[in-house]
């Protein structure tokens, strides 16, 4: 079994970790996106070798997988930080000053949306509504939602995520 | 037997959780246990009450006392004073913003008084993770009735008679859609629930899924029975982790109870339900794109026909409806189509949930009968504009919708009146804007959104929205040219007529509706190089703040005499005259002059 996986991928470690995911979805329809989602959960992003391995196992050309990965904003091809900050730029947040919140964080961390700080502590992203519009402006750090933001609150919030 | 004398309901919706309801609940449970009250008082976590502005929210039964903005520090007092001594804590009650009167119970609050809660009736009142609470509130009665007393054709007929129209945006009659799928030949059919809710500013689907997931599941099973499908998918945005978690629990419980699975209610009908997590693409809310995405491809729309009812998921007949549409089904089946159709207007029946956001006092979810006026929603339920500012516009329908000005506030809301006014029901997001919001900037905001979410498959949408955005950017930067408005209108018309899917066909709406009602703002940007709302930074002049001591330095230095004011009184800048040279800003010894309005 182990032998076989090695032969299949040329990179035994990755193959071993992905195997559980492949097993879970074997024999089902429409599993490519869930497989990519779970692989990303495991690695934090989708390294080249992982995409290659998924392509081989699911019998898809790499170009097709690449097409999917670049279509959906959830997938990432670059390593990401330990804490993902998603600043809402949806309508409700926009009219209540979401832009100011974003600019403040950009200045404070010295990065633009899509980038990661050099120490890999934060990745900054924008999102077009997280459904907590009643508390606009809103941001999410990892799975926590923070609402009714003011620029005074921000340093305190960011500081909590090491 | 243990006797529970009080129930404390703590809101566990996304809004209240981010305001700290988890800490409140944990603190409450500890404190109750510490005082040995845990076998007479029960703490229940509920879904969203819709009044997110005032969160975390708490209701204590049997009295039904409603506490707002509860903090973890308030917990000892709640246990001591309310649960132990039976006295209401005045300072935690909701105060009506206008009268400052404190109001002890839920139903007395203006925000709730004008609402008619059918879809949201359980939200905030039951524990969404407990199927028995849904059943106790009358849940799964409709499914039992449909499966044991009605034929699939009769179910479809009932939905048709109710006049229910799709809540996902376009308002297509739901019963007709079911009939198409029913009549499509094929052994295998699917039911799909569209829970992509990509429209920024809308969160009703999220709240229903988080607060009452079984209502949606029940609607889907009934649909499966009506059209002859044995399998269903719920496509949920990845941004809604709590909704996904609650749905998983709900599906597992429904399976255990036998509402999902084989031979439901002994009727021989089978139905299996799966969850698909989206991966972040607005266009996947469009039905054909959504189906592509479930199949594991790039979510790009395809031309219709064939409609999904004929060829949908994996080429099989598929019925796709929105979350709120499915949430309406149970009450139609239980109470009957006639009863349902009593609510609403001639062509739009039932209630609609609106998400009130923006510069409004009571942000949150409001479920109201169709046919209510915009004014009632914004002023009676929403409590008017924040900080007593002046109302300017309400944006309805998200990126596909439009902005309506003050003189349209008495418009009665239904699908057709909104479309006629140049807006759209859309998902029901209402974003209220005040005098400080620039309408050209709003149009640009939406176009930025649609342009970046365009999937790129058809040229009008891919290229056209880009060109429109360039023009709008130019205008908001103060580089607008003569003829820009005509060019925008021309492009808008072309894109509307030729784009492949709803995204492109409706993308120009925010521009067209702001041009229709706020054309003067565009003209002011282009001709006078002013942003009347003071929002576009390149076009805002200077203002003098309260720090002004009236020294008169600025007046002296101004080369064009644009500053007026008496010595020792606050000075003002005449924007029409000001050439924005900035000379005054540098001269002011009190730093009382700044850029922007
Ligand atoms: C760009 C675009 C985005 C859409 N997004 C959603 C959405 O988030 N949720 C939804 O229910 N319908 C959305 N729709 C509408 C769906 O295509 C479809 O009409 C709807 O799911 C049908 O359900 P209904 O008949 O119950 O309204 C969208 C349409 C377009 C063109
Ligand atoms: S617009 Fe920001 S949460 Fe909805």
């Amino acid at each position: 079994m182990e032998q076989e996986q090695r032969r299949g991928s040329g990179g035994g470690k990755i193959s071993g970790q992905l195997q559980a995911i492949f097993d879970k979805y074997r024999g089902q329809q429409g599993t490519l996106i869930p497989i990519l989602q779970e692989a990303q959960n495991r690695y934090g992003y989708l390294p080249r070798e992982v995409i290659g391995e998924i392509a081989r196992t699911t019998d898809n050309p790499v170009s097709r997988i690449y097409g999917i990965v670049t279509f959906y904003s959830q997938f990432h091809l670059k390593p990401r930080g330990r804490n993902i900050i998603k600043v809402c730029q949806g309508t409700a947040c926009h009219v209540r000053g979401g832009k100011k919140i974003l600019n403040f964080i950009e200045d404070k961390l010295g990065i633009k949306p899509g980038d990661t700080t050099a120490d890999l502590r934060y990745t900054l992203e924008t999102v077009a509504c997280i459904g907590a519009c009643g508390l606009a402006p809103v941001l999410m750090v990892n799975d926590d939602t923070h609402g009714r933001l003011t620029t005074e609150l921000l340093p305190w919030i960011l500081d909590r995520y090491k | 037997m243990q006797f529970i004398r009080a129930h404390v309901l703590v809101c566990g919706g996304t809004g209240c959780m981010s305001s700290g309801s988890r800490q409140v609940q944990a603190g409450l449970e500890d404190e109750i246990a510490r005082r040995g009250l845990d076998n007479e008082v029960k703490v229940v976590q509920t879904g969203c009450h819709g009044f997110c502005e005032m969160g975390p929210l708490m209701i204590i039964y049997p009295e039904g006392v409603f506490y707002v903005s509860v903090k973890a520090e308030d917990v000892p007092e709640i246990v001591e004073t309310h649960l132990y001594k039976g006295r209401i804590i005045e300072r935690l009650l909701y105060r009506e913003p206008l009268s400052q009167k404190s109001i002890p119970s839920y139903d007395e609050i203006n925000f709730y008084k004008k609402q008619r809660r059918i879809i949201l009736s359980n939200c905030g009142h039951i524990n969404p993770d407990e199927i028995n609470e849904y059943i106790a509130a009358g849940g799964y009665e409709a499914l039992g009735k449909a499966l044991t007393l009605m034929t699939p054709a009769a179910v479809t007929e009932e939905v048709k008679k109710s006049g229910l129209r799709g809540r996902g945006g376009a308002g297509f009659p739901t019963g007709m859609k079911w009939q198409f799928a029913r009549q499509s030949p094929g052994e295998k059919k699917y039911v799909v629930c569209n829970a992509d809710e990509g429209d920024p500013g809308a969160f009703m689907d999220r709240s229903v899924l988080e607060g009452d997931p079984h209502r949606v599941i029940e609607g889907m099973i009934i649909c499966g029975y009506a059209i002859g499908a044995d399998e269903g998918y719920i496509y949920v945005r990845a941004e809604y982790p709590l909704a996904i978690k609650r749905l998983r629990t709900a599906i597992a419980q429904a399976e255990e109870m036998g509402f999902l699975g084989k031979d439901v209610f002994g009727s021989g009908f089978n139905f299996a339900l799966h969850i698909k997590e989206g991966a972040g693409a607005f266009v996947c809310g469009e039905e054909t794109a959504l189906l592509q995405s479930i199949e594991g491809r790039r979510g790009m729309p395809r031309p219709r026909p064939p409609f999904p009812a004929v060829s949908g998921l994996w080429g099989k007949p598929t019925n796709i409806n929105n979350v709120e549409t499915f949430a309406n089904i149970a009450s139609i089946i239980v109470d009957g189509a006639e009863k349902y159709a009593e609510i609403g207007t001639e062509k739009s029946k039932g209630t609609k949930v609106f998400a009130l956001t923006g510069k409004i006092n009571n942000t949150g979810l409001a479920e109201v009968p169709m046919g209510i006026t915009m004014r009632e929603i914004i002023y009676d339920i929403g409590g008017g504009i924040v900080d007593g500012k002046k109302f300017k516009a309400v944006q309805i329908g998200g990126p596909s919708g439009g902005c309506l000005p003050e003189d349209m506030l008495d418009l009665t809301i239904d699908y057709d009146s909104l479309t006629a006014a140049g807006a759209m029901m859309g998902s029901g997001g209402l974003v209220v804007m005040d005098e400080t919001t620039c309408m050209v900037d709003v149009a640009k905001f939406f176009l930025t959104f649609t342009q970046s979410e365009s999937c790129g498959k058809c040229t009008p949408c891919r290229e056209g929205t880009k060109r429109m955005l360039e023009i709008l950017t130019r205008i908001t930067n103060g580089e607008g040219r003569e003829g820009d408005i005509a060019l925008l209108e021309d492009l808008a018309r072309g894109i509307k007529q030729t784009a492949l899917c709803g995204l492109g066909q409706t993308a120009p709406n925010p521009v067209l509706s702001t041009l229709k009602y706020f054309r003067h703002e565009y003209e002011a940007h282009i001709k006078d190089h002013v942003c009347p709302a003071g929002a576009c930074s390149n076009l805002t002049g200077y203002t003098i703040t309260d720090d002004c001591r009236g020294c008169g330095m600025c007046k002296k230095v101004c080369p064009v005499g644009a500053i007026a004011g008496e010595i020792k009184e606050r000075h003002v800048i005449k924007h029409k005259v000001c050439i924005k040279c900035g000379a005054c800003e540098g001269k002011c010894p009190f730093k009382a002059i700044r850029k922007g309005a």
Side-chain angles (χ1 to χ4, degrees):
Chain A
M1 181 72 194
E2 185 113 318
Q3 280 292 316
E4 226 175 77
Q5 283 168 16
R6 254 189 214 136
R7 215 177 321 125
S9 69
K13 194 154 156 267
I14 283 177
S15 162
Q17 292 192 358
L18 289 173
Q19 197 57 46
I21 303 176
F22 293 139
D23 288 344
K24 180 169 162 194
Y25 290 103
R26 178 160 303 136
Q28 295 177 35
Q29 274 178 305
T31 56
L32 198 46
I33 292 175
I35 288 175
L36 288 166
Q37 282 167 331
E38 288 202 22
Q40 176 161 290
N41 282 346
R42 179 148 309 174
Y43 294 97
Y45 72 111
L46 291 168
R48 216 188 159 99
E49 306 82 62
V50 169
I51 291 185
E53 181 62 24
I54 292 175
R56 258 188 300 277
T57 312
T58 59
D59 205 12
N60 278 296
V62 172
S63 60
R64 170 119 189 266
I65 309 237
Y66 189 75
I68 291 171
V69 168
T70 51
F71 183 84
Y72 295 101
S73 61
Q74 199 193 34
F75 295 120
H76 305 280
L77 294 163
K78 281 191 295 192
R80 300 206 304 155
R82 293 189 293 284
N83 301 296
I84 315 294
I85 308 168
K86 292 186 180 156
V87 188
C88 180
Q89 300 293 296
T91 325
C93 290
H94 179 77
V95 302
R96 283 210 196 177
K99 190 95 204 176
K100 259 195 216 124
I101 302 293
L102 179 64
N103 291 345
F104 184 91
I105 299 179
E106 283 175 352
D107 285 350
K108 183 155 167 63
L109 301 182
I111 50 174
K112 291 274 166 208
D115 294 343
T116 300
T117 52
D119 59 0
L120 291 185
R121 181 167 168 192
Y122 302 109
T123 294
L124 180 60
E125 289 173 359
T126 60
V127 53
C129 186
I130 44 192
C133 326
L135 304 175
V138 179
L139 64 73
M140 258 174 115
V141 186
N142 306 331
D143 277 341
D144 306 332
T145 312
H146 299 274
R148 299 195 188 95
L149 297 173
T150 57
T151 43
E152 288 88 67
L153 273 175
L154 287 173
W156 180 78
I157 293 175
L158 294 183
D159 214 50
R160 286 169 46 191
Y161 298 90
K162 299 295 175 194
Chain B
M1 205 190 108
Q2 152 188 53
F3 175 71
I4 303 285
R5 65 171 174 86
H7 283 87
V8 185
L9 275 50
V10 182
C11 181
T14 296
C16 282
M17 276 203 186
S18 82
S19 312
S21 71
R22 243 179 306 202
Q23 290 85 323
V24 170
Q25 190 184 343
L28 198 59
E29 281 163 352
D30 286 352
E31 185 70 12
I32 288 173
R34 200 176 65 81
R35 315 250 341 208
L37 294 172
D38 43 347
N39 44 26
E40 28 184 315
V41 178
K42 194 169 169 208
V43 180
V44 182
Q45 188 193 72
T46 67
C48 178
H49 293 261
F51 204 8
C52 315
E53 178 84 32
M54 300 306 297
L57 305 176
M58 181 185 285
I59 304 183
I60 303 184
Y61 283 111
E63 305 94 321
V65 172
F66 184 54
Y67 290 141
V68 299
S69 305
V70 180
K71 302 205 177 43
E73 302 90 88
D74 300 327
V75 165
E77 188 182 348
I78 293 171
V79 176
E80 171 71 24
T81 309
H82 191 127
L83 295 172
Y84 217 74
K85 299 191 181 142
R87 285 204 292 260
I88 291 176
I89 306 167
E90 189 75 18
R91 71 178 176 86
L92 291 177
L93 294 177
Y94 174 71
R95 266 170 214 284
E96 216 50 89
L98 293 179
S99 61
Q100 282 299 311
K101 231 174 60 197
S102 58
I103 297 175
S105 92
Y106 212 70
D107 324 316
E108 292 298 304
I109 296 174
N110 275 341
F111 179 75
Y112 290 110
K113 241 195 305 196
K114 278 225 168 171
Q115 295 197 37
R116 174 111 185 222
R117 296 198 150 210
I118 298 174
I119 288 156
L120 299 178
S121 59
N122 286 340
C123 282
H125 295 276
I126 65 166
N127 179 350
D129 281 334
E130 194 38 77
I131 190 170
N132 284 321
E133 296 204 13
Y134 179 66
I135 296 173
Y140 289 109
E141 187 186 334
L143 180 65
K145 182 175 173 188
L147 259 54
T148 54
L149 301 173
M150 297 167 83
T151 61
V155 173
T156 311
E157 195 52 37
E158 201 67 18
V159 175
K160 247 170 102 178
K161 265 199 307 199
S162 74
L164 172 66
R165 294 170 68 173
R167 302 293 192 241
F172 191 83
T174 306
M176 289 245 275
K177 213 182 210 179
W178 287 22
Q179 189 171 349
F180 291 143
R182 219 178 96 63
Q183 288 168 346
S184 262
E187 280 290 299
K188 180 81 189 171
K189 294 180 187 176
Y190 292 98
V191 175
V192 173
C193 174
N194 188 341
D196 197 41
E197 196 163 57
D199 172 1
F203 52 103
M204 57 288 287
D205 292 351
R206 158 177 220 160
S207 298
V208 173
L209 292 173
E210 286 179 4
D212 201 8
H214 286 287
R215 186 179 293 271
V216 180
I217 294 174
E218 185 176 9
M220 288 186 73
I221 307 173
I222 294 173
C223 174
Y225 176 70
I227 69 165
D230 66 352
E231 208 173 347
Y233 285 91
I234 308 180
Y235 187 92
V236 196
R237 299 178 75 190
E239 287 85 349
Y240 287 2
L242 185 61
I244 294 172
K245 187 167 150 261
R246 298 240 164 103
L247 270 174
R248 282 198 204 290
T249 309
I251 290 176
Q253 290 178 351
E255 281 168 352
E256 207 163 292
M257 289 288 211
F259 300 138
L260 280 172
K262 295 251 178 281
D263 194 20
V264 182
F265 280 109
S267 63
F269 167 69
N270 310 325
F271 197 74
L273 197 52
H274 316 283
I275 297 175
K276 277 278 172 183
E277 279 181 50
F282 172 69
V283 71
C284 286
E286 198 279 338
E287 53 189 27
T288 59
L290 186 147
L291 298 175
Q292 297 276 327
S293 180
I294 294 182
E295 291 176 14
R297 276 192 272 269
R298 286 165 71 103
M300 309 236 263
R302 61 159 176 78
R304 295 170 306 177
F307 285 90
V310 175
S311 173
L313 200 54
W314 288 294
K316 305 280 187 262
T318 301
N319 180 70
I320 172 163
N321 279 125
N322 165 261
V323 171
E324 202 185 323
T325 314
F326 281 125
N328 271 291
I329 300 299
S331 62
I332 293 175
I333 299 295
V334 171
D335 300 330
E338 281 85 20
K339 185 97 199 297
Y340 183 88
E342 281 170 12
I343 310 170
T345 64
E346 195 196 333
K347 288 200 177 131
S348 301
K349 300 295 185 192
T351 58
K352 173 79 191 96
V353 185
F354 290 98
L356 297 181
T357 61
K359 306 279 183 72
I360 190 166
N361 275 316
N362 302 335
T363 59
L365 287 185
E367 180 175 350
V368 291
M370 295 273 192
I372 195 172
T373 67
M374 201 64 100
R375 191 182 298 279
E376 286 172 282
I377 297 186
I378 294 173
Y379 286 92
D380 298 348
I381 297 174
I385 312 301
V386 177
D387 295 336
K389 289 226 170 63
K390 210 166 139 355
F391 170 89
K392 183 174 197 174
V394 55
Q395 208 283 340
I396 175 163
S400 320
C403 292
L404 300 178
E406 184 161 20
D407 54 13
M408 302 289 281
L409 275 179
D410 291 310
L411 185 78
T412 55
I413 301 180
D414 63 29
Y415 288 99
D416 312 291
S417 65
L418 285 173
T419 309
M424 180 170 153
M425 181 78 81
S427 54
L430 290 180
V431 187
V432 175
M433 298 164 186
D434 67 9
E435 54 200 335
T436 63
T437 317
C438 165
M439 302 315 286
V440 187
D441 179 62
V442 167
K444 185 181 115 190
F445 167 80
F446 280 110
L447 225 67
T448 310
F449 178 79
T450 36
Q451 192 268 324
S452 78
E453 293 294 338
S454 168
C455 80
K457 186 168 174 177
C458 75
T459 319
C461 177
R462 184 184 63 237
E463 300 299 327
T465 55
K466 213 174 190 130
R467 296 292 93 78
M468 285 182 77
L469 180 59
E470 279 167 9
I471 299 171
L472 289 170
T473 308
R474 201 158 74 207
I475 296 176
T476 52
N477 281 344
E479 294 149 11
R481 303 175 197 151
E482 196 71 33
D484 271 351
I485 292 181
L487 190 55
L488 276 175
E489 284 175 326
D490 205 31
L491 279 165
R493 220 167 298 124
I495 298 170
K496 268 179 96 88
Q497 283 167 3
T498 55
L500 168 65
C501 83
L503 191 145
Q505 287 157 13
T506 58
N509 285 357
V511 179
L512 288 174
S513 72
T514 45
L515 270 173
K516 180 166 170 189
Y517 298 115
F518 301 95
R519 184 179 282 261
H520 53 276
E521 287 198 24
Y522 282 81
E523 285 165 351
H525 281 76
I526 297 172
K527 296 199 184 113
D528 310 333
H529 297 275
V530 211
C531 171
C536 299
S537 55
N538 270 5
L539 293 177
T540 43
Y542 290 83
T543 30
I544 302 182
T545 68
D546 285 340
D547 294 333
C548 171
R549 306 273 181 85
C551 71
M553 291 279 251
C554 53
K555 197 168 159 183
K556 241 179 257 155
V557 80
C558 177
V560 290
I563 298 178
E566 298 300 317
I567 288 294
K568 296 221 159 132
E569 276 172 28
R570 185 175 157 180
H571 285 42
V572 284
I573 298 178
K574 291 182 262 179
H575 288 282
K576 284 243 162 67
V577 188
C578 171
I579 53 165
K580 307 185 191 82
C581 65
C584 54
E585 189 187 22
K587 265 283 182 256
C588 178
F590 307 104
K591 297 204 169 23
I593 299 182
R594 59 176 177 78
K595 210 165 174 194

